[in-house]
Amino acid sequence: MTLRIPTLSGSKIAADSTSTEAFVVELEQFQGPLDLLLHLIRSQNIDIFDIPIAQITDQFRRAVERVEQRMSLERAGEFLEMAATLLRIKVQMLMPRRPGELFEEDPRAELVRQLLEYERFRELARSLAEAESDRAQHFGKGYIPPRPAPREVILPFDVTLEEFLTIARRLPPPPKRAPHRAALRTVTVEEKMAALREALARRARLTFEAFVAPFRTRTHAVPSLLACLELAKQRFLRLHQERAFRTLWIYRREDLEDR
Amino acid sequence: MRISRIVEAVLFASETPLTAEEIARAAEALDAKGVQAAIEELRQEYEREERAFQIYQLADGYQILTRPEYAPHLERFDSILGLARLSQAALETLAVIAYRQPVSRIEIEEIRGVNCAAVLRTLQERGLVEVVGRAEGLGRPLLYGTTRQFLEHFGLRSLEDLPRPEDLAITLQNR
């Protein structure tokens, strides 16, 4: 088995093709180990279907070693796991194949598949970014926020600096710029009560989870719970929960007609 | 009063895209087809008169937005509604979800090779993705999908509008 040293084109790499020292990458700029590996492969014009695993493994480990200490444990773990995978592949490639294993898959195959798949999604992410840029060129109503009403301060003409500063200090601080939140439709308890009545007209019981499942936001969950409590108070339904955090069952009250 | 003017009024008053059906609620005489015809009429009128805005189709609906050539002028305003751009991590995660939905966190992480819990949470908070169900099998993991807000953010009419590289169709079929 031979490890192919790729032909290096491009100026990023030192003339000595076996050198890994010259290959300096800034790890922070990479999303993760796959992103880094792809960079190593693509920037050196390496054939992805014939990765020189020993060379890439070295470069990868050097890149990680330098910054490992500064990374969060989890992020470091992700890179180290890949380093281990590369080493395992390297060892597998060095092992002689027995005759019977003639058709065994190339140890690199799974990694290559993973790299290609990730690369494709990275491309798609790029096209999404383009779509985002195009969209950002269009503005809807409300883009320019209303101007806050001016506060009138009438100063006498003979104002001293001190008086001026006293007044200046009384001015309210500039408003904090809050991130924009899309206005959510306000969900009312009444609305949820109606929905509950309707749901319980069709069946005798349901779980609270099922009732809020289509929405999954606090804006819906809170009025839903309040609606349950209100209807329970009105003796329209009965709530049952074996213990805290267990499934909350909503039962239709069969004695409704009695009232 | 012309039908198209009613449609125009509704679109003018809305800050989010409205579907043809939603707009049709404005008048008894209106239906989705009538709305679409009125919108076409308005679009041509705006084009003819070189208005600064146009009716755009996004997220299954219609919305009046300014034309791109006015963006440099509008960007001079310190707006609160400016579209906040997404990070690379967010874009990659969204790409996986958009093309593979419904998809579990594990699947996303296998493709990206990194933990995606935090970025998924952010995307959920921004309303770009949501839980759409649970997978069968061990632990019944949550499955994620994109939202209407996602379409609005990227100016897409529907998921059909997503860029479709040729080889991707194969990947989608193989699942």
Side-chain angles (χ1 to χ4, degrees), chain A residues 31-35 74-75 78 114 117-118 120-122 124-129 131-146 177-182 209 213-216, chain B residues 12-13 56 58 64-68 71 74-75 77-86 88-89 91-92 95-96 99-100 110-115 131 152-155 162-163 165 167-168 171:
Chain A
Q31 288 297 314
L34 290 173
D35 202 11
E74 182 174 324
R75 196 165 147 82
E78 288 163 356
Q114 228 182 323
E117 184 169 45
Y118 173 68
R120 187 164 50 213
F121 279 103
R122 211 177 55 174
L124 292 171
R126 192 170 303 155
S127 52
L128 278 182
E132 186 184 48
S133 293
D134 288 347
R135 172 65 185 85
Q137 299 297 303
H138 299 275
F139 298 95
K141 281 220 313 170
Y143 172 72
I144 297 168
R177 286 188 55 193
H180 171 66
R181 298 190 78 94
E209 206 190 357
F215 306 102
R216 288 233 167 239
Chain B
F12 175 78
Y56 291 94
L58 66 159
I64 292 181
L65 299 172
T66 60
R67 299 177 65 110
L74 291 166
E75 277 158 3
F77 291 87
D78 187 17
S79 169
I80 47 165
L81 281 182
L83 196 74
R85 304 297 180 88
L86 294 167
Q88 178 64 19
L91 286 169
E92 281 181 17
V96 177
Y99 287 91
R100 287 282 171 87
E110 272 170 9
I111 290 170
R112 292 194 62 227
V114 291
N115 182 295
V131 173
E152 281 181 44
H153 185 89
F154 292 97
L162 282 170
D167 53 347
L168 197 85
T171 321

Side-chain angles (χ1 to χ4, degrees), chain A residues 125 127-139 180 182, chain B residues 15-17 57-60 63 65 81-87 90-91 94 122-123 126-129 146-158 162:
Chain A
S127 52
L128 278 182
E130 276 167 26
E132 186 184 48
S133 293
D134 288 347
R135 172 65 185 85
Q137 299 297 303
H138 299 275
F139 298 95
H180 171 66
Chain B
E15 287 190 2
T16 54
Q57 235 182 315
L58 66 159
D60 298 321
Q63 188 177 5
L65 299 172
L81 281 182
L83 196 74
R85 304 297 180 88
L86 294 167
S87 67
L91 286 169
L94 267 179
T122 313
L123 290 173
R126 292 190 58 167
L128 295 167
V129 303
T146 54
T147 61
R148 202 177 146 139
Q149 177 71 35
F150 166 82
L151 297 175
E152 281 181 44
H153 185 89
F154 292 97
L156 306 170
R157 277 171 295 184
S158 69
L162 282 170

Side-chain angles (χ1 to χ4, degrees), chain B residues 30-45:
Chain B
L30 265 179
D31 58 8
K33 255 201 156 113
V35 168
Q36 275 156 1
I39 284 172
E40 198 36 54
E41 195 184 320
L42 289 169
R43 282 183 56 87
Q44 283 168 18
E45 180 186 322

Side-chain angles (χ1 to χ4, degrees), chain A residues 24 31 35 47 57 103 135 147 153 165 172-173 184-185 194 217 224 246:
Chain A
V24 176
Q31 288 297 314
D35 202 11
D47 177 6
T57 303
F103 295 110
R135 172 65 185 85
R147 196 201 306 239
V153 183
L165 287 175
L184 289 167
R185 199 172 63 92
T217 63
S224 297
R246 278 289 175 84

